[in-house]
Amino acid sequence: MSAAATGTNPNGDPRVADVRARLEAAHTASASAPEKAQAKLDAQGKIYVRDRIALLFDEGSFVEDGRYANALQPGLPADGVVTGRGTVDGRAAIVIANDPTVKAGSWGARTVEKIVRATEMALREELPVFWFVDSAGARITDQVEMFPGRRGAGRIFHNQVALSGKVPQICCLFGPSAAGGAYIPSFCDLIIMVEGNASMYLGSPRMAEMVVGEKVSLEEMGGARMHCTVSGVGDLLAHDDAEAIELAKLYFSYVPGSWRDHPPTYAAEAPATPLTRETVPERESVPFDIHDVIDGLVDDDSFFELKPLWAGELVIGFGRLEGQTVGIVANNSMVKGGVLFTDSADKAARFIWLCDAFNVPLVYLADVPGFMIGSEVERGGIIRHGAKMVSAVSSATVPQFCVVVRKAYGAGLYAMGGPGFGPDATIALPTARIAVMGPEAAVNAVYANKIAEIADPDEQARFVADRRREYEEDVDIERLAADLVLDSIIEADELRSDLVRRLAYASRRDRHFSERRRAVPPV
C-alpha cells in the first residue's frame, strides 16, 4: 500500500504529525456535544451551541476565533465559549456563544479573554453583537486569573457599555445567566428568554436562603416569565432555542448595523385592515385596543412589539411605513385606562433612547389621561420615572411625530412628544382632546366649593354642565389648530399617507441637540 493511501508522508516530520493529531483531537472535541451532554441538552429541549450559531448565520459565512483556547487542558474544548463573525441575511455580525456542555458554560481565564477580544473587535469594526448566553458564571477555581485584572471579566461590561448605542447588542438567553454574568443581558438592547430554561439572578435561591433567609424557587426569583412580566428586564419570551434565534434575527431586520447607518428598507405593503373613521371610538370613556390603530397604520404584519407582557398600558415596538422602519410609542386604554405608571415610563424612555441611537423615527399615538397619582406611585418615584420619559422625548433628535388619537391630558401630552418638545408635526384626529385635565376633573378642581354650596340637585347639575361646556369650548380642537398648537387635523383614514409624506420630508433634519459633555438623566 502506498504512503498516499495510508495518509502518511515518508518525508514528513513526526513532530508535525503529532501537532496535527492533537489539533484534530481538539477540533473534534468541540465539534459536537459528548453523548451524555447531548442527552442532557435533549432533555432540556436545548440545541448544541454550534447548531445555534448555524441557525443564526448564513450558511458558510461563519469564521471562528479561538477554537483551540485551553486546548492543553482536557475537558475544556474552546474553553466553553464560541466566538467569531458571520453574516445574518447578508449583514456582518459577531457572535459570543456559551457552550453549556463545558462545565455548564462557566467562565475561565481564556473564556473571558475570548469574550473581551470579541467585544474589542465589535468596537473596532463597529459590528453588531449577538450574545448567546447559557452560563453558570465564573469558575471559582480560576477567579484570580479571570476576575480582578485589567483584562478580567469587568472589561466585558466596560466594553458593552462602550458598544451601547454604537451597535445593536442582541441577547438570546437559553439558560442561566448567574451572578455578575447576569449583567451581560442587562447591557443588551434586546433580551429574549427561553421559557422554562432561561434565568437571570445575582444570587441563587440557595444563596438567598443562606444570606437573607428567603426560601424561593429559581423561577420565582429569576425565571424567564418573571423577568418578562414583573421586573421588565426581559423583552420577549420564546418557547425554545430556535424561536429565540428567529426572533433575534427578526429584530435585527428593523435596526441598522451601527449608529452610522440607517435601518434596512423593504418592499412596501398596505396594512391588512386600513384605518377608518370608525377605528377609534369617539367617546373617550370607551376603552379600545390601540393595536387596532397600529396595525391599520403600518405595513401588513410588520409590527414587532417589545415587552408585550410588561406595563401593557403602554405599547412599544417597531413597524414599517412603506417599507421604512419606525418606532411606535402608544397608550393603550384597554389596560389601566392608558394611564402612565413608573414601569410604563421606564419602558418608553429606554425605547426612545434606542430609536434615537439607531436612527429610527418615532411615532407617538397619544390616548393618555396623564400620569398615575396617589401615595403608592409617589413613593415609587413616579416623578423621577416620568422625568426620565420626558427627558428621552426632549433629547431625541430623530424625526418625531405626535398623533393625538383621542385624549392627551396634563403631563401625558408632554411625555407623548407634544408640541412643546419640537416634534416634526403634531397631528390630531377629530376625536382628539388636549387639556391640562379632563372636563369633569377640571370643573371639580376649580368649582368644588361652589358646587357644594348648591343645595338643589337639578341646579347643581345645570351649573356643572355649564362650566363643563365652557371648559370644552376653551380647549376646542379647532381652536388649538387655529392657534397653531396643532399642525393638522385629519381623519384616521388619511393618517398613514400623511405620515409617509412627512417622514420623507423630515429625513434630512438636523440631529444636533445641545452642546455639553453629557446629560444627567433622572434615575
Side-chain angles (χ1 to χ4, degrees):
M1 187 177 290
S2 68
T6 60
T8 60
N9 182 354
N11 300 315
D13 187 331
R15 290 173 300 178
V16 175
D18 177 61
V19 168
R20 284 182 172 142
R22 286 186 284 114
L23 288 176
E24 183 179 354
H27 190 281
T28 301
S30 67
S32 59
E35 186 176 342
K36 185 177 178 181
Q38 185 61 55
K40 183 177 180 180
L41 291 177
D42 293 341
Q44 294 174 315
K46 289 184 176 182
I47 300 173
Y48 182 55
V49 61
R50 295 188 180 279
D51 296 326
R52 288 170 176 169
I53 292 171
L55 288 175
L56 173 67
F57 287 136
D58 302 336
E59 187 175 355
S61 70
F62 180 52
V63 178
E64 185 172 352
D65 296 314
R67 181 159 187 163
Y68 298 105
N70 230 354
L72 300 180
Q73 193 74 19
L76 292 171
D79 211 35
V81 66
V82 180
T83 61
R85 285 171 286 186
T87 58
V88 179
D89 296 328
R91 304 166 65 202
I94 288 172
V95 71
I96 299 168
N98 300 123
D99 182 353
T101 70
V102 179
K103 291 192 178 295
S106 59
W107 296 1
R110 302 296 180 272
T111 319
V112 169
E113 178 63 21
K114 286 176 70 173
I115 297 172
V116 169
R117 289 187 185 191
T119 54
E120 287 173 343
M121 186 191 305
L123 284 165
R124 185 171 60 248
E125 301 178 20
E126 294 195 345
L127 289 177
V129 183
F130 286 83
W131 295 85
F132 283 5
V133 178
D134 195 343
S135 170
R139 295 177 206 151
I140 302 301
T141 54
D142 287 21
Q143 64 173 315
V144 175
E145 291 80 12
M146 56 75 61
F147 174 68
R150 289 178 175 83
R151 292 187 70 80
R155 195 69 187 177
I156 298 172
F157 308 133
H158 175 277
N159 288 353
Q160 276 195 279
V161 173
L163 286 166
S164 179
K166 184 183 286 288
V167 298
Q169 296 187 78
I170 302 167
C171 176
C172 290
L173 191 49
F174 301 113
S177 185
Y183 283 106
I184 280 183
S186 73
F187 290 122
C188 291
D189 306 327
L190 179 77
I191 305 173
I192 303 165
M193 303 184 72
V194 177
E195 188 162 21
N197 283 334
S199 59
M200 277 185 284
Y201 50 87
L202 298 182
S204 68
R206 183 171 59 183
M207 186 179 293
E209 186 173 357
M210 288 175 58
V211 176
V212 299
E214 179 188 18
K215 290 187 177 182
V216 63
S217 71
L218 176 59
E219 183 59 34
E220 291 169 328
M221 170 172 281
R225 183 161 288 275
M226 188 285 289
H227 277 306
C228 288
T229 60
V230 180
S231 76
V233 175
D235 290 287
L236 297 170
L237 271 180
H239 293 103
D240 55 29
D241 292 8
E243 185 185 21
I245 295 167
E246 192 59 37
L247 287 170
K249 293 170 72 173
L250 182 57
Y251 172 90
F252 189 48
S253 74
Y254 287 91
V255 294
S258 82
W259 68 285
R260 300 179 193 277
D261 302 326
H262 289 279
T265 57
Y266 296 84
E269 294 186 40
T273 306
L275 291 175
T276 69
R277 299 184 182 195
E278 285 72 46
T279 303
V280 179
E282 295 184 2
R283 294 185 181 275
E284 68 174 68
S285 59
V286 178
F288 79 106
D289 192 344
I290 197 65
H291 289 90
D292 294 340
V293 173
I294 296 170
D295 291 341
L297 185 63
V298 301
D299 294 6
D300 183 24
D301 199 30
S302 73
F303 186 56
F304 186 82
E305 186 171 358
L306 302 176
K307 298 188 185 293
L309 302 178
W310 184 64
E313 64 274 10
L314 189 89
V315 176
I316 60 170
F318 297 120
R320 294 193 177 100
L321 280 175
E322 293 288 320
Q324 179 180 345
T325 299
V326 295
I328 305 287
V329 179
N331 310 114
N332 192 3
S333 61
M334 285 290 288
V335 181
K336 299 179 181 177
V339 176
L340 291 167
F341 288 78
T342 54
D343 284 348
S344 38
D346 277 359
K347 179 177 176 178
R350 192 165 191 272
F351 181 67
I352 293 164
W353 286 324
L354 174 70
C355 290
D356 195 41
F358 293 118
N359 308 312
V360 177
L362 282 154
V363 177
Y364 301 88
L365 301 176
D367 183 14
V368 58
F371 284 89
M372 189 60 185
I373 60 172
S375 62
E376 183 178 350
V377 291
E378 294 294 357
R379 288 171 180 267
I382 187 73
I383 294 172
R384 63 185 171 88
H385 289 284
K388 201 182 303 181
M389 182 176 177
V390 172
S391 209
V393 173
S394 301
S395 59
T397 59
V398 290
Q400 297 187 85
F401 302 93
C402 173
V403 180
V404 184
V405 175
R406 237 170 19 170
K407 55 192 173 294
Y409 293 152
L413 173 66
Y414 298 164
M416 294 300 289
F421 293 81
D424 290 77
T426 304
I427 304 161
L429 303 185
T431 47
R433 290 184 177 187
I434 297 174
V436 171
M437 62 183 73
E440 291 181 8
V443 169
N444 186 66
V446 176
Y447 298 105
N449 293 335
K450 177 66 176 176
I451 292 169
E453 292 172 0
I454 303 174
D456 182 82
D458 292 335
E459 184 180 348
Q460 188 182 79
R462 282 194 297 272
F463 178 83
V464 169
D466 289 342
R467 301 293 81 74
R468 179 170 177 167
R469 185 168 53 255
E470 290 171 0
Y471 184 83
E472 290 175 342
E473 288 172 358
D474 194 43
V475 294
D476 176 68
I477 202 73
E478 185 181 11
R479 175 182 173 177
L480 294 179
D483 289 345
L484 298 182
V485 172
L486 299 171
D487 294 293
S488 181
I489 303 174
I490 60 176
E491 295 289 353
D493 51 15
E494 302 171 47
L495 182 58
R496 175 181 160 90
S497 60
D498 187 82
L499 284 173
V500 167
R501 289 192 296 271
R502 291 180 185 277
L503 268 171
Y505 298 138
S507 62
R508 296 177 63 186
R509 70 170 286 166
D510 178 24
R511 294 294 305 275
H512 175 75
F513 180 61
S514 71
E515 291 289 342
R516 55 187 173 182
R517 294 195 186 281
R518 59 157 299 124
V520 183
V523 295

